[in-house]
Amino acid sequence: PGLIALLFFALHLTGTYQAGAARRSLTRLAVGVLLAATTIGVAAYGPGAYGAATPPPPGVRGAAMYFGILFTLLYALLAAARAAVDWGVRQLYRHGIGLRRGVVLGGRRELDQALRVIGSDSIDHQVVGFVTVRALRERGALGHLADLGGVLTSANAEELVVATPLPESVLREAVRAASQRGARCYALPWALTAAYARSEPVRLGQRPAFRLHPPEFEIPELLLKRALDLVLTVLALPFALTLTAVI
C-alpha cells in the first residue's frame, strides 16, 4: 500500500490527474513514474536500506537493473491502462453515453461559431440547440432568453454556453437560472465584454473560455451557509481525528 500511495503521489505532483491534455500526456506520466521508481530504488538500495544481518546490496549493476525493470513495468502498465480507458470512453461517447449536453445562448450565427470553437476539439460535448436573445424568435431556436430556465430543464442540459455579449444584469440572471437547474455556465471569450466578477478562466475542449458563477450570496444566506459549515465541521471533527490517527 505504501508503494502504491507513493506512486499516486508522484503522479499527482507531475499533474497527470489534471483534466484534458495533461492527463493524456505520456511525458508527464513518464516523469511521474520516474520520480516514484527513483524514490523506491533509493529506499531499497540506498544508504541504511540494509542492516548488519542482511546481505549487502547487489551493487550498481543490480540496482540499475532493478530500477530499469521497475520503471518499464510501471510505465507500460499505466500507459496501457490509460489508453484502454480512453478508448472505452470514446466508444461510449460515439453511442451518446456520458456526453455533456449543452445549450448555446445566442442566435444561429453564434451557434455556428460555438460549434466551430468547441465542436471539433471536445468529444464529450453534445450541443443540443440554442436559445435566442433577439426580440424575434429565430427559426430552430429552443426558446427565448425569457424562457431560459424552462429550456434548460426540458433539454436536460448540463451546460450553458454564452456565445453573445449581454448586459451585466441579463448575464447575471442567465447564470443564476443555469445554477438553479444544476447546469454549469461558460462564456466564450468574445462574449464576456462586461467585467463579470464571478468568472474564472477555463477551457472548453482545447479552447479558452470562462466559467461563470452565480452572484455572491446576500448577507442572510451567507450567514446561514457559514453557520451550516461550522455545525457540519464540528460534527465531522471526531470522525476525522479518529481516521487520521488510524492512518
Side-chain angles (χ1 to χ4, degrees):
L3 298 180
I4 296 176
L6 175 62
L7 177 60
F8 286 160
F9 181 68
L11 295 177
H12 172 72
L13 287 179
T14 54
T16 60
Y17 291 123
Q18 297 178 5
R23 189 187 66 81
R24 301 183 181 92
S25 173
L26 295 180
T27 302
R28 289 175 182 261
L29 183 64
V31 173
V33 173
L34 180 64
L35 178 61
T38 301
T39 306
I40 295 171
V42 170
Y45 294 106
Y50 289 82
T54 57
V60 176
R61 179 178 297 179
M65 182 178 298
Y66 170 83
F67 173 82
I69 293 174
L70 179 63
F71 173 81
T72 302
L73 285 177
L74 287 176
Y75 180 76
L77 289 174
L78 287 173
R82 292 195 171 199
V85 169
D86 286 342
W87 180 86
V89 169
R90 285 195 298 270
Q91 299 307 310
L92 293 176
Y93 287 160
R94 289 175 182 172
H95 290 83
I97 302 174
L99 292 175
R100 293 183 289 174
R101 296 171 60 85
V103 170
V104 173
L105 184 56
R108 169 66 65 178
R109 181 180 60 185
E110 288 80 12
L111 172 65
D112 295 338
Q113 290 176 335
L115 289 175
R116 285 196 297 269
V117 168
I118 66 176
S120 59
D121 291 330
S122 184
I123 62 173
D124 58 346
H125 282 82
Q126 181 185 24
V127 177
V128 297
F130 70 99
V131 174
T132 181
V133 298
R134 296 176 173 85
L136 296 177
R137 178 168 173 172
E138 296 184 60
R139 184 177 181 182
L142 298 177
H144 190 266
L145 178 60
D147 311 318
L148 179 60
V151 171
L152 292 175
T153 301
S154 61
N156 195 24
E158 299 175 77
E159 295 179 351
L160 174 67
V161 180
V162 181
T164 187
L166 297 172
E168 185 174 356
S169 59
V170 177
L171 179 60
R172 192 183 305 117
E173 290 301 320
V175 175
R176 182 181 288 109
S179 176
Q180 290 174 347
R181 285 152 184 84
R184 294 179 292 271
C185 188
Y186 300 97
L188 298 178
W190 63 82
L192 198 63
T193 56
Y196 190 79
R198 300 276 292 166
S199 63
E200 60 175 321
V202 294
R203 286 183 175 272
L204 282 178
Q206 301 299 320
R207 305 300 181 94
F210 293 94
R211 172 80 183 274
L212 306 182
H213 300 279
E216 296 284 356
F217 288 115
E218 300 296 335
I219 293 299
E221 295 173 317
L222 185 60
L223 292 177
L224 179 61
K225 180 181 182 300
R226 179 60 176 167
L228 183 60
D229 290 343
L230 291 176
V231 170
L232 292 178
T233 300
V234 171
L235 293 177
L237 191 57
F239 173 77
L241 290 176
T242 305
L243 183 61
T244 302
V246 171
I247 294 174

